[in-house]
Amino acid sequence: MRDDRYPIACDDDTLDAIKAAMQRSDDEALALLDAAVSRHPADARLALLRGSVYASQGAYPQAFADLSQAVVMAPELYAARFMLGYLELCHRGAAQAIAVWHPLTQLGEHEALGDFARGLTLLVTGEPERARAFLQRGLEGNRDHPELSPFVQSLIEKSHEIVAAGEPAPVPGFGAVPDAPAADGANDGEDEEPGNGSHLLLGGYLDRRDH
């Protein structure tokens, strides 16, 4: 079955296979994504997925290219805009991030990504109290993006520190520096590949049919 709202839409079975591969191996996922993009170059969801994989690998030019393309092709694909804004914040600065997030800040109060964008915008412009209120409201109403909730909770807890430092906090698995291995070797990740299972926002978002 295809989602007719997306031009030349990729079939659901292929999308499911790609999302499953993203939990196992970035290289496997990229191979499937490259093949799918060659067949369905106008499906913004593929650009979002591939941009997420690139970002988790630290391949930022490719991530910027794919996420930017996803935003242009499907402005209503809010996850792509949110992720692009965070890449802008981490790598190019607050002004660019705020510009990217602006359409999200116009969403209704029941859209968690809207509240997250409003909160982050206020946070990077030095208004931690108001930022916390929006982030908390978004967190309480967040049903579609559970992968993002721990990060938002950490923003709420560290909002004053972030404002004082003038720096964004990293999102685990999305443009973040990996944690150093524990001294005792625990959780050394020797059985995992970088980025596996860490692609934010994507698990539930692409299953929705109301965005």
Side-chain angles (χ1 to χ4, degrees), residues 22-152:
M22 289 171 67
Q23 302 300 317
R24 298 190 299 266
S25 164
D26 283 350
D27 289 340
E28 180 186 356
L30 283 175
L32 292 175
L33 280 161
D34 287 345
V37 168
S38 70
R39 297 192 302 270
H40 311 286
D43 193 324
R45 298 170 299 173
L46 296 173
L48 166 58
L49 287 167
R50 193 168 65 176
S52 172
V53 176
Y54 279 138
S56 73
Q57 291 186 324
Y60 300 121
Q62 296 94 322
F64 272 113
D66 273 344
L67 292 173
S68 298
Q69 185 180 29
V71 168
V72 170
M73 289 193 297
E76 77 283 4
L77 196 57
Y78 300 141
R81 182 173 292 279
F82 186 84
M83 294 168 74
L84 178 61
Y86 203 84
L87 269 189
E88 294 281 10
L89 181 61
C90 290
H91 297 280
R92 295 177 180 170
Q96 292 90 333
I98 291 170
V100 171
W101 283 330
H102 179 71
L104 297 182
T105 66
Q106 308 306 301
L107 295 176
E109 64 181 32
H110 298 299
E111 287 279 357
L113 284 180
D115 278 340
F116 293 160
R118 285 184 281 267
L120 278 169
T121 297
L122 289 166
L123 194 57
V124 299
T125 54
E127 299 187 59
E129 298 296 336
R130 293 183 64 206
R132 278 199 297 273
F134 279 113
L135 292 172
Q136 185 64 46
R137 187 175 72 176
L139 189 64
E140 291 170 357
N142 183 23
R143 301 292 181 268
D144 300 311
H145 313 295
E147 302 93 338
L148 196 56
S149 291
F151 164 61
V152 173

